[in-house]
Amino acid sequence: MIMKAMKTVYFFGTVLLAVLLTATGQTACTSARSASKGEQAQAVKQQIESRRYTVSVNRMVPMKAPSQYLTSNYSLTVRGDTVISRLPYFGQAYSVPYGGGKGLNFESTVTDYSLSFDAKGRAQISFRTRSENDVLLYRIEVFGNGSSSIRVSSNSRQSIGFYGTME
């Protein structure tokens, strides 16, 4: 009887020790992950505040068509007061030059640039720019891990959205 009780105490003691060691290990891993997330969020924030960043786009969301993954390299780059837009366009155009124009492939100056951060650390960026034939409004949302969404509104085309990551 005493032997059985000792085996039971030994068994529960071993289980309790294993649970405590596992919980301590998970806490250490979680702390390391949250520290690296914090460092990444800080690096993303510094890039955004310096107005020197590139968002690589991997998916587009046209207004009246299904979302499409992109296989080529597309991006949106902001360098101070300049924007370099290398984005595809798929949607309805209301007035474009003969041949379709260049769409969202251009380099131009930025006006009305605004930046704000919400309580969760997401960056909300908006600015206006002008291509050869159009006035465009870009709205960018960047999360702490660098994932981004872009919404482009145009005077002569339907709006289009993009998803990607900050480099």
Side-chain angles (χ1 to χ4, degrees):
M1 180 90 163
I2 293 176
M3 196 66 157
K4 191 173 183 179
M6 286 178 61
K7 284 183 182 179
T8 305
V9 169
Y10 178 74
F11 174 74
F12 284 117
T14 305
V15 170
L16 180 62
L17 182 63
V19 168
L20 287 174
L21 289 175
T22 303
T24 304
Q26 286 178 347
T27 304
C29 290
T30 303
S31 297
R33 265 188 262 134
S34 65
S36 66
K37 283 183 181 180
E39 291 170 3
Q40 184 181 17
Q42 188 61 31
V44 166
K45 185 176 181 179
Q46 286 174 350
Q47 273 190 309
I48 292 169
E49 288 176 336
S50 71
R51 286 175 69 161
R52 301 188 70 73
Y53 54 89
T54 299
V55 176
S56 293
V57 173
N58 58 17
R59 189 166 51 128
M60 75 173 174
V61 185
M63 191 142 199
K64 292 185 178 178
S67 169
Q68 297 179 11
Y69 283 94
L70 304 171
T71 56
S72 298
N73 296 327
Y74 294 103
S75 64
L76 177 71
T77 303
V78 174
R79 296 282 178 255
D81 289 338
T82 303
V83 62
I84 303 164
S85 179
R86 301 286 178 247
L87 299 172
Y89 182 80
F90 182 80
Q92 184 176 3
Y94 307 120
S95 67
V96 291
Y98 182 74
K102 294 181 181 179
L104 299 176
N105 292 309
F106 63 90
E107 183 174 338
S108 185
T109 56
V110 171
T111 58
D112 300 331
Y113 189 93
S114 77
L115 166 65
S116 64
F117 291 92
D118 67 9
K120 294 182 179 181
R122 287 182 297 210
Q124 306 286 333
I125 304 164
S126 68
F127 60 85
R128 292 186 188 283
T129 189
R130 188 172 191 83
S131 70
E132 249 178 59
N133 308 310
D134 206 357
V135 177
L136 302 153
L137 172 64
Y138 283 77
R139 289 190 179 114
I140 307 168
E141 184 174 31
V142 183
F143 296 85
N145 64 0
S147 63
S148 310
S149 67
I150 302 170
R151 175 56 89 196
V152 182
S153 301
S154 165
N155 285 347
S156 61
R157 300 172 190 260
Q158 283 181 334
S159 296
I160 187 167
F162 300 94
Y163 292 102
T165 55
M166 182 177 280
E167 292 179 1

